[in-house]
Amino acid sequence: MIRYKHIFFDLDHTLWDFETNSNATMAELYEEHNLSGRGIPSYDEFFSVYSAINEKLWDRFRKGYINRNELRIKRFTQTFLDFKLCDDALCQTLSERFLVILPTKTALFPGAIEVLDYLKEKQYPLHLITNGFEETQKLKLEHSGIGHYFTHIVTSESAGSLKPHRAIFDYALQLSNTTAAESIMIGDTLEVDILGAQQIGMDQVYFAPGDVQAGVSPTYTIKSLAELKSIL
């Protein structure tokens, strides 16, 4: 069994249940601002449209086509346009409120605390590499109670680079005083977490609780976080 010296986790969709927490946040916003009375017929339609647009904009952000502020506001303005609505002031308010409410949500994937405790007991140094925004990610860790598990929290802002680019991984390794050969990356996205780690020679664990995507061959694939115990 390979003995890794440092373990790097992704946060959103890997430990912190982004879909559940985002859904709860958007439901609050839908009610808080009476969006049903503004021409958006149902919450389910609202969240479905928003989620698709948000995913596309995050892809553009990772590729450098848009900046952080454009991402934050466009995901709401484009959602409104899909419903043939235009209210820039409300979209700005929704953007601001989303960033206030979202990090206070605390849903984690099943087994997250158990596996973090297990890894800590085995004395692995644990770190995060996340494309999320610095302030938001730190608030998520604080509210969900898992921040204390991690020695280093590397965000795209602190590294000046986004996964899957090499620079963010190099920065994380340098900060943690380790090498790619001694480390392993655990994440949910093949083209971001897994490919990024592969490109620097780091082993990877692809966390795929739903459908397993094709295209990149990770070192390991797991359906639940508990399966990490058989690897580490």
Side-chain angles (χ1 to χ4, degrees):
M1 181 69 68
I2 298 172
R3 176 67 181 183
Y4 300 101
K5 295 184 178 178
H6 288 259
I7 299 172
F8 294 87
F9 277 95
D10 173 46
L11 180 60
D12 295 335
H13 305 285
T14 299
L15 294 170
W16 196 80
D17 190 343
F18 186 90
E19 189 72 14
T20 295
N21 292 320
S22 179
N23 200 329
T25 300
M26 294 296 285
E28 282 190 39
L29 293 177
Y30 185 82
E31 295 299 326
E32 185 179 276
H33 296 278
N34 188 30
L35 297 186
S36 63
R38 294 174 180 266
I40 300 178
S42 75
Y43 171 69
D44 288 342
E45 287 182 71
F46 175 58
F47 187 67
S48 177
V49 170
Y50 167 86
S51 296
I53 287 170
N54 188 49
E55 185 176 337
K56 289 177 183 177
L57 288 172
W58 262 100
D59 183 61
R60 291 181 59 77
F61 174 69
R62 283 192 293 264
K63 292 174 179 175
Y65 297 141
I66 60 173
N67 62 35
R68 175 176 65 174
N69 290 332
E70 288 175 312
L71 165 63
R72 287 175 169 178
I73 190 66
K74 281 185 175 182
R75 56 191 175 186
F76 287 101
T77 57
Q78 290 186 11
T79 297
F80 269 45
L81 286 173
D82 198 86
F83 290 99
K84 297 181 172 55
L85 300 172
C86 181
D87 190 331
D88 289 344
L90 178 57
C91 287
Q92 182 65 42
T93 299
L94 291 172
S95 175
E96 292 169 0
R97 290 289 294 146
F98 180 83
L99 293 172
V100 169
I101 298 169
L102 179 68
T104 68
K105 301 303 180 185
T106 59
L108 300 172
F109 276 95
I113 297 294
E114 179 186 359
V115 80
L116 289 172
D117 282 338
Y118 166 83
L119 295 172
K120 271 296 189 183
E121 287 170 10
K122 297 196 75 171
Q123 299 186 323
Y124 282 110
L126 307 179
H127 316 284
L128 284 172
I129 306 178
T130 169
N131 278 351
F133 305 122
E134 183 95 9
E135 182 181 357
T136 303
Q137 299 304 74
K138 288 185 176 178
L139 285 170
K140 289 175 186 176
L141 293 170
E142 177 186 335
H143 284 282
S144 61
I146 61 172
H148 67 281
Y149 288 103
F150 302 101
T151 305
H152 296 295
I153 299 165
V154 177
T155 67
S156 53
E157 286 180 84
S158 65
S161 176
L162 289 154
K163 294 179 292 183
H165 299 297
R166 182 185 185 100
I168 191 170
F169 289 93
D170 285 340
Y171 177 80
L173 291 174
Q174 182 179 17
L175 190 65
S176 308
N177 193 28
T178 188
T179 66
E182 295 177 335
S183 307
I184 191 166
M185 177 73 200
I186 301 159
D188 69 291
T189 309
L190 285 178
E191 65 272 17
V192 177
D193 304 302
I194 305 309
L195 181 60
Q198 281 185 357
Q199 290 176 155
I200 65 161
M202 186 190 297
D203 281 1
Q204 331 88 42
V205 179
Y206 173 36
F207 175 54
D211 294 334
V212 175
Q213 302 299 309
V216 179
S217 298
T219 313
Y220 307 97
T221 298
I222 59 173
K223 301 289 285 184
S224 71
L225 292 173
E227 293 176 63
L228 287 172
K229 293 180 181 181
S230 65
I231 299 170
L232 302 165

